[in-house]
Amino acid sequence: MQLTVTEKNGSAIQRAIDEVHTSGGGRVILENGIYQSGTIYLKSNVELNVPAGAVIQGYDDYTKYDDFAHPDYPVTPENSRKALIVACNAENIAITGKGEINGQGPAFYDTDVPPGRFFNRPSTPRPRLIQMFGCKNVTLTDINLIDSPGWTMWMVNCCYVHISRIRIEGCQQMMNNDGFDMDACSHITISDSFFKTGDDCLVLRAIRRKKEEPAICEYVTVTNCLLDSPCQGIRLGCPSDDTIRHCRFSDITFNGRGTAILSQHPPRYLRKDDTGYADIHDISFNNFDIQANGFAIYLKCMEGINIRGISKMSFSNFRIKSRQPILIEGHADAVFSDITLNNISGTVADESPLIIKFCRNVKLNNVDLTAETGTSVPPVPPSGDSWETQF
């Protein structure tokens, strides 16, 4: 079944989705124009096609969005349950077309700040553009996701997700407007896409809702993407997460004011009554071009955080220009292992190109880095009564 929506509002889009879903599935196609909308629920076997010239524009008033509460996820990021497009336990769903989904993000912030500073966050909840729970066989292609007030896409316990040729772009003065957060998801492919955000571009998490129930994020493949962020291009985990494994990143360009690749485990990210649990292993990064004001690679577990480990991480064919060194640092109770740096070249605007602490089985092959920036200190004239001063 195929329906074309001509009435320019979100309620009309929802009626069409419901009808196509009830009929057994098909496409909902938007006519050119701007469709102002609150929350839209995407349902099984429905493709939402937003062609070039069509825009789904979220309201700039948070009260016009539903509070979607999934019983398995009582805690939500930024204390917001609101989103423009929601899918829950749906299968065979898609968002396609070269049109735009726009969240009017800056309208939710106090923008009266000095040029270049982050906008002030409001006390009221900010909606995401897309959030999906427990969905299977999800496709997003060609779509433009613009100015999400919160995380642009948040998927939890989703599998078999295919994303290609999408553009995520948000004003870089907005906080917490991540590009794509994957939480306990599996079998995700992302290719040929562009991410420009004020916060992390790509995030892999494995948040345990209950300590006795495992959460695993695995088999994520990202290739041929451009990333730009003043925070992080790729973030892997937080200290109280469960397991992140079997992920591949290749042919990535990062050009931003932040850090390209980060796995950071400080106390401020610990959940209540927890000292750390994350296990991050079998992650590869290949063929990266990095220009970063921060770090090209930053892996660090702070003392007192007892994660299970960071291991089997490989970084190959990197060309970097960064302000900070490559940093890989565990501690006595959280020693990293099996870290490989292969064919790494470039310059670091610091006094050290590479810092490695508390790591076992570190392999360096063809690492060619230059770091020669620092404070010049004038020569010290001889002094004292040593016999060398007599010459």
Side-chain angles (χ1 to χ4, degrees), residues 290-326:
I290 294 172
Q291 292 199 41
N293 276 12
F295 297 80
I297 302 168
Y298 184 98
L299 311 179
K300 183 168 183 176
C301 184
M302 297 184 69
E303 293 184 353
I305 308 297
N306 296 315
I307 64 174
R308 289 176 292 162
I310 291 179
S311 63
K312 296 182 181 179
M313 304 275 282
S314 67
F315 305 86
S316 299
N317 304 311
F318 273 50
R319 296 158 296 279
I320 70 173
K321 183 177 181 181
S322 65
R323 187 174 298 277
Q324 301 293 341
I326 292 174

Short mmCIF file of all heavy atoms in Angstrom, two decimals, residues 290-326:
data_model
loop_
_atom_site.label_atom_id
_atom_site.label_comp_id
_atom_site.label_asym_id
_atom_site.label_seq_id
_atom_site.Cartn_x
_atom_site.Cartn_y
_atom_site.Cartn_z
N ILE A 290 42.92 12.58 10.46
CA ILE A 290 42.48 13.30 11.66
C ILE A 290 43.16 14.66 11.74
O ILE A 290 44.39 14.75 11.69
CB ILE A 290 42.80 12.49 12.93
CG1 ILE A 290 41.97 11.19 12.95
CG2 ILE A 290 42.53 13.32 14.19
CD1 ILE A 290 42.35 10.24 14.08
N GLN A 291 42.36 15.70 11.87
CA GLN A 291 42.84 17.02 12.27
C GLN A 291 42.02 17.42 13.49
O GLN A 291 40.81 17.67 13.37
CB GLN A 291 42.68 18.04 11.15
CG GLN A 291 43.61 17.78 9.96
CD GLN A 291 43.80 19.00 9.09
OE1 GLN A 291 43.95 20.12 9.58
NE2 GLN A 291 43.79 18.79 7.78
N ALA A 292 42.67 17.44 14.64
CA ALA A 292 41.94 17.62 15.90
C ALA A 292 42.65 18.63 16.79
O ALA A 292 43.87 18.57 16.95
CB ALA A 292 41.83 16.27 16.62
N ASN A 293 41.87 19.52 17.38
CA ASN A 293 42.44 20.39 18.42
C ASN A 293 42.65 19.64 19.72
O ASN A 293 43.42 20.07 20.57
CB ASN A 293 41.52 21.59 18.66
CG ASN A 293 41.76 22.71 17.67
OD1 ASN A 293 42.44 22.52 16.67
ND2 ASN A 293 41.19 23.87 17.94
N GLY A 294 41.96 18.52 19.88
CA GLY A 294 42.14 17.68 21.05
C GLY A 294 43.11 16.55 20.76
O GLY A 294 44.19 16.75 20.21
N PHE A 295 42.70 15.33 21.12
CA PHE A 295 43.52 14.14 20.94
C PHE A 295 43.07 13.39 19.68
O PHE A 295 41.89 13.35 19.36
CB PHE A 295 43.36 13.19 22.14
CG PHE A 295 43.82 13.77 23.45
CD1 PHE A 295 43.01 14.65 24.16
CD2 PHE A 295 45.05 13.41 23.99
CE1 PHE A 295 43.42 15.17 25.38
CE2 PHE A 295 45.47 13.92 25.21
CZ PHE A 295 44.66 14.80 25.91
N ALA A 296 44.01 12.74 19.02
CA ALA A 296 43.63 11.82 17.94
C ALA A 296 43.04 10.55 18.54
O ALA A 296 42.02 10.04 18.08
CB ALA A 296 44.83 11.50 17.07
N ILE A 297 43.69 10.02 19.59
CA ILE A 297 43.24 8.82 20.30
C ILE A 297 43.37 9.08 21.79
O ILE A 297 44.44 9.50 22.25
CB ILE A 297 44.08 7.59 19.91
CG1 ILE A 297 44.02 7.33 18.40
CG2 ILE A 297 43.61 6.36 20.69
CD1 ILE A 297 45.06 6.32 17.92
N TYR A 298 42.32 8.82 22.54
CA TYR A 298 42.34 9.05 23.99
C TYR A 298 41.63 7.87 24.66
O TYR A 298 40.40 7.76 24.59
CB TYR A 298 41.64 10.36 24.34
CG TYR A 298 41.68 10.76 25.80
CD1 TYR A 298 42.63 11.67 26.27
CD2 TYR A 298 40.76 10.24 26.70
CE1 TYR A 298 42.64 12.06 27.61
CE2 TYR A 298 40.78 10.62 28.04
CZ TYR A 298 41.72 11.53 28.48
OH TYR A 298 41.74 11.91 29.81
N LEU A 299 42.40 6.98 25.27
CA LEU A 299 41.85 5.86 26.03
C LEU A 299 42.35 6.01 27.47
O LEU A 299 43.55 5.93 27.72
CB LEU A 299 42.32 4.51 25.47
CG LEU A 299 42.19 4.26 23.96
CD1 LEU A 299 42.74 2.89 23.61
CD2 LEU A 299 40.75 4.40 23.50
N LYS A 300 41.44 6.20 28.42
CA LYS A 300 41.91 6.41 29.79
C LYS A 300 40.89 5.92 30.80
O LYS A 300 39.70 6.22 30.71
CB LYS A 300 42.19 7.89 30.05
CG LYS A 300 42.76 8.15 31.45
CD LYS A 300 43.31 9.54 31.61
CE LYS A 300 43.93 9.73 32.99
NZ LYS A 300 44.56 11.05 33.15
N CYS A 301 41.38 5.16 31.78
CA CYS A 301 40.59 4.78 32.95
C CYS A 301 41.24 5.42 34.17
O CYS A 301 42.43 5.16 34.45
CB CYS A 301 40.54 3.27 33.10
SG CYS A 301 39.49 2.74 34.47
N MET A 302 40.50 6.23 34.88
CA MET A 302 41.07 6.93 36.03
C MET A 302 41.17 6.02 37.24
O MET A 302 40.40 5.05 37.37
CB MET A 302 40.24 8.17 36.34
CG MET A 302 40.25 9.19 35.20
SD MET A 302 39.37 10.71 35.59
CE MET A 302 40.46 11.42 36.84
N GLU A 303 42.11 6.30 38.11
CA GLU A 303 42.31 5.49 39.31
C GLU A 303 41.05 5.45 40.17
O GLU A 303 40.33 6.44 40.29
CB GLU A 303 43.48 6.04 40.13
CG GLU A 303 44.82 5.88 39.43
CD GLU A 303 45.97 6.34 40.31
OE1 GLU A 303 45.71 6.90 41.39
OE2 GLU A 303 47.13 6.15 39.90
N GLY A 304 40.79 4.27 40.73
CA GLY A 304 39.59 4.08 41.53
C GLY A 304 38.41 3.55 40.73
O GLY A 304 37.40 3.14 41.30
N ILE A 305 38.53 3.54 39.39
CA ILE A 305 37.50 2.99 38.52
C ILE A 305 37.96 1.60 38.10
O ILE A 305 38.99 1.45 37.44
CB ILE A 305 37.28 3.88 37.28
CG1 ILE A 305 37.03 5.33 37.68
CG2 ILE A 305 36.13 3.32 36.44
CD1 ILE A 305 35.80 5.55 38.50
N ASN A 306 37.21 0.58 38.44
CA ASN A 306 37.65 -0.80 38.23
C ASN A 306 36.88 -1.46 37.09
O ASN A 306 36.10 -2.39 37.30
CB ASN A 306 37.50 -1.60 39.53
CG ASN A 306 38.39 -1.06 40.62
OD1 ASN A 306 39.56 -0.76 40.40
ND2 ASN A 306 37.83 -0.90 41.82
N ILE A 307 37.09 -0.97 35.87
CA ILE A 307 36.46 -1.61 34.73
C ILE A 307 37.13 -2.97 34.49
O ILE A 307 38.25 -3.22 34.92
CB ILE A 307 36.54 -0.73 33.47
CG1 ILE A 307 38.00 -0.53 33.03
CG2 ILE A 307 35.85 0.59 33.70
CD1 ILE A 307 38.13 0.20 31.71
N ARG A 308 36.41 -3.84 33.77
CA ARG A 308 36.96 -5.16 33.49
C ARG A 308 38.08 -5.10 32.46
O ARG A 308 38.95 -5.97 32.45
CB ARG A 308 35.84 -6.10 33.01
CG ARG A 308 34.87 -6.49 34.13
CD ARG A 308 33.73 -7.33 33.58
NE ARG A 308 32.87 -6.55 32.71
CZ ARG A 308 32.02 -7.06 31.83
NH1 ARG A 308 31.93 -8.38 31.68
NH2 ARG A 308 31.24 -6.27 31.11
N GLY A 309 38.08 -4.10 31.61
CA GLY A 309 39.22 -3.98 30.73
C GLY A 309 38.96 -3.29 29.41
O GLY A 309 37.82 -3.17 28.95
N ILE A 310 40.05 -2.82 28.81
CA ILE A 310 40.10 -2.38 27.43
C ILE A 310 41.18 -3.20 26.76
O ILE A 310 42.34 -3.18 27.19
CB ILE A 310 40.39 -0.88 27.31
CG1 ILE A 310 39.18 -0.06 27.83
CG2 ILE A 310 40.74 -0.49 25.89
CD1 ILE A 310 39.38 1.44 27.77
N SER A 311 40.83 -3.97 25.73
CA SER A 311 41.80 -4.89 25.14
C SER A 311 41.50 -5.12 23.66
O SER A 311 40.40 -4.84 23.18
CB SER A 311 41.78 -6.22 25.90
OG SER A 311 40.52 -6.86 25.77
N LYS A 312 42.52 -5.64 22.99
CA LYS A 312 42.41 -5.99 21.57
C LYS A 312 41.88 -4.80 20.76
O LYS A 312 40.92 -4.89 20.00
CB LYS A 312 41.51 -7.21 21.38
CG LYS A 312 42.05 -8.48 22.02
CD LYS A 312 41.15 -9.67 21.77
CE LYS A 312 41.73 -10.92 22.45
NZ LYS A 312 40.85 -12.11 22.25
N MET A 313 42.58 -3.68 20.92
CA MET A 313 42.25 -2.47 20.17
C MET A 313 43.35 -2.23 19.15
O MET A 313 44.54 -2.23 19.50
CB MET A 313 42.15 -1.27 21.12
CG MET A 313 41.17 -1.44 22.26
SD MET A 313 39.49 -1.00 21.83
CE MET A 313 39.57 0.76 21.90
N SER A 314 43.00 -2.04 17.91
CA SER A 314 44.01 -1.80 16.88
C SER A 314 43.71 -0.51 16.12
O SER A 314 42.55 -0.20 15.82
CB SER A 314 44.07 -2.98 15.91
OG SER A 314 42.88 -3.10 15.16
N PHE A 315 44.79 0.22 15.83
CA PHE A 315 44.71 1.49 15.12
C PHE A 315 45.72 1.41 13.98
O PHE A 315 46.93 1.33 14.22
CB PHE A 315 45.03 2.65 16.05
CG PHE A 315 44.19 2.69 17.30
CD1 PHE A 315 44.55 1.97 18.43
CD2 PHE A 315 43.02 3.44 17.33
CE1 PHE A 315 43.77 2.00 19.58
CE2 PHE A 315 42.23 3.47 18.48
CZ PHE A 315 42.61 2.75 19.60
N SER A 316 45.24 1.44 12.75
CA SER A 316 46.13 1.24 11.60
C SER A 316 45.90 2.31 10.54
O SER A 316 44.77 2.74 10.30
CB SER A 316 45.88 -0.13 10.96
OG SER A 316 46.14 -1.17 11.87
N ASN A 317 47.01 2.73 9.93
CA ASN A 317 46.95 3.67 8.80
C ASN A 317 46.27 4.98 9.18
O ASN A 317 45.24 5.36 8.64
CB ASN A 317 46.25 3.01 7.61
CG ASN A 317 46.89 1.71 7.18
OD1 ASN A 317 48.11 1.65 7.01
ND2 ASN A 317 46.09 0.66 7.05
N PHE A 318 46.88 5.63 10.17
CA PHE A 318 46.39 6.92 10.66
C PHE A 318 47.32 8.03 10.17
O PHE A 318 48.54 7.92 10.24
CB PHE A 318 46.37 6.95 12.19
CG PHE A 318 45.13 6.41 12.81
CD1 PHE A 318 44.61 5.18 12.44
CD2 PHE A 318 44.47 7.13 13.80
CE1 PHE A 318 43.47 4.67 13.04
CE2 PHE A 318 43.31 6.64 14.40
CZ PHE A 318 42.81 5.40 14.02
N ARG A 319 46.72 9.12 9.71
CA ARG A 319 47.44 10.35 9.38
C ARG A 319 46.85 11.44 10.27
O ARG A 319 45.66 11.76 10.13
CB ARG A 319 47.27 10.67 7.90
CG ARG A 319 47.92 9.61 7.00
CD ARG A 319 47.34 9.60 5.60
NE ARG A 319 45.94 9.22 5.58
CZ ARG A 319 45.50 7.94 5.63
NH1 ARG A 319 46.36 6.94 5.74
NH2 ARG A 319 44.21 7.68 5.61
N ILE A 320 47.65 11.96 11.17
CA ILE A 320 47.08 12.84 12.19
C ILE A 320 47.81 14.18 12.26
O ILE A 320 49.00 14.29 11.98
CB ILE A 320 47.09 12.18 13.59
CG1 ILE A 320 48.52 12.05 14.13
CG2 ILE A 320 46.41 10.82 13.55
CD1 ILE A 320 48.56 11.56 15.55
N LYS A 321 47.04 15.19 12.64
CA LYS A 321 47.56 16.48 13.04
C LYS A 321 46.72 16.90 14.23
O LYS A 321 45.53 17.24 14.08
CB LYS A 321 47.46 17.50 11.91
CG LYS A 321 48.06 18.86 12.27
CD LYS A 321 48.00 19.81 11.09
CE LYS A 321 48.62 21.15 11.45
NZ LYS A 321 48.54 22.12 10.31
N SER A 322 47.30 16.86 15.41
CA SER A 322 46.51 17.10 16.63
C SER A 322 47.27 18.03 17.57
O SER A 322 48.50 18.18 17.48
CB SER A 322 46.19 15.79 17.33
OG SER A 322 47.36 15.17 17.81
N ARG A 323 46.51 18.62 18.48
CA ARG A 323 47.15 19.48 19.48
C ARG A 323 47.66 18.65 20.66
O ARG A 323 48.65 19.01 21.30
CB ARG A 323 46.14 20.52 19.97
CG ARG A 323 46.74 21.58 20.90
CD ARG A 323 45.71 22.65 21.21
NE ARG A 323 45.31 23.36 20.00
CZ ARG A 323 46.00 24.37 19.46
NH1 ARG A 323 47.12 24.78 20.03
NH2 ARG A 323 45.55 24.96 18.38
N GLN A 324 47.00 17.53 20.95
CA GLN A 324 47.36 16.71 22.09
C GLN A 324 47.95 15.37 21.62
O GLN A 324 47.69 14.93 20.50
CB GLN A 324 46.13 16.45 22.96
CG GLN A 324 45.46 17.70 23.50
CD GLN A 324 46.30 18.44 24.51
OE1 GLN A 324 47.23 17.89 25.09
NE2 GLN A 324 45.99 19.71 24.71
N PRO A 325 48.71 14.68 22.47
CA PRO A 325 49.33 13.41 22.07
C PRO A 325 48.33 12.27 22.00
O PRO A 325 47.20 12.38 22.48
CB PRO A 325 50.34 13.16 23.20
CG PRO A 325 49.74 13.82 24.39
CD PRO A 325 49.08 15.07 23.85
N ILE A 326 48.73 11.18 21.39
CA ILE A 326 47.98 9.93 21.54
C ILE A 326 48.16 9.48 22.99
O ILE A 326 49.29 9.37 23.48
CB ILE A 326 48.51 8.87 20.57
CG1 ILE A 326 48.17 9.25 19.13
CG2 ILE A 326 47.93 7.49 20.91
CD1 ILE A 326 48.77 8.33 18.09
#
